[in-house]
Amino acid sequence: MFVVGGESLVDLVPAKPGPAAERQPVAGGSPFNCAIALAKLGNTTGFLCPISTDEFGDMLLAPLAAAGVDLLIKQRVDAPTTKAIVTFNEKMQASYVFERGAERAFTKEGLVAALPGGVTLLQLGGFVPIEPEDAAAWLAVAGKAIVGGATISMDINVRPLLVQDEKTYRDQLSQLLDLAHVIKLSDEDHDWLEPGMSIEAHAQALLARPNCELVVVTLGEEGSLAFTKATTAKAPIYSPPVFVDTVGAGDSLMAGVLTALAEKQALTPGRLGTLNEAALVSVLRFGAVVAGINCGRKGCQPPTRAEVDAVLAKG
């Protein structure tokens, strides 16, 4: 089983352009999106996150169930669903303001107990490193997964507006990155974390951490990069016939990359770093198609495996 840990929330998205536009709720959250994308690509997937008893919690449960994601924390919580107020720039790239709630309504002991046995991959990211008590709980979850033989992947996905204490955040993120075998970040994450450093140098610094074997960097319209200690690869984006927005694009790409790695029998410590350039290009290409199809839809609506295969079959 693949397990994704981290936040679920409701995006409050403008129904039409303009600062005074009415907002409509859409289920979201980076780990939530990734879990759904993984399941729709054919992976047995569990999601580790509390869900509220409120009506927005009902909204979050529906797409998880439709995709076949196993909700690992069965008992719903009274805290209100976390909300993200979304705005778009002229390129329809999203930015967010957050009101946190139910996705933090856990204990370390509860999270660790909810992680099942037989986990092959634990994917973390989003809000996980932000608060000290949360980071400690997720570090314990990752420790249990590693003891069970799981691969750890981390989507950095910095949320600067939520970071109140930058040093603490960086320290907590660093502890999690030291456990990760696969690390994904965007060029915007890179610019915030290591301003003035080249992406290539940043990738090599991540690869120098104790367990990291593969680094994936998304570059927006410029495509994506993959780095191992042995080689580097680059792939372009896949442009859908009609572009709508970028909500969930990075989450969808991450799900595609993890799926492609698993199908190459490479999503295992010791094997991730052995892929050659051509294999890494094909991994990035698969992820790009997953992300590109998603960008042809409003909000995060990751594609099925059949939809991805149909695009790839066209060359």
Side-chain angles (χ1 to χ4, degrees), residues 74-96:
K74 310 298 184 185
Q75 186 69 37
R76 293 173 69 176
V77 298
D78 292 334
T81 297
T82 293
K83 301 171 185 65
I85 301 168
V86 184
T87 56
F88 295 105
N89 64 17
E90 65 279 1
K91 294 184 177 181
M92 290 304 292
Q93 295 170 323
S95 60
Y96 306 84

Side-chain angles (χ1 to χ4, degrees), residues 51 62 117 123 136 178 203 223 227 245 289 293:
I51 302 292
Q123 157 75 11
D178 277 349
F227 299 86
D245 64 47
V289 170
I293 295 173

Side-chain angles (χ1 to χ4, degrees), residues 8 50 52 77 79-83 99-106 127:
S8 61
S52 176
V77 298
T81 297
T82 293
K83 301 171 185 65
E99 298 175 2
R100 301 189 68 180
E103 42 85 21
R104 292 193 65 211
F106 56 72
F127 298 174

Side-chain angles (χ1 to χ4, degrees), residues 138-161:
W138 289 111
L139 282 164
V141 171
K144 178 182 176 181
I146 289 169
V147 169
T151 299
I152 307 298
S153 61
M154 183 81 189
D155 186 349
I156 293 178
N157 207 357
V158 177
R159 298 298 191 187
L161 292 176

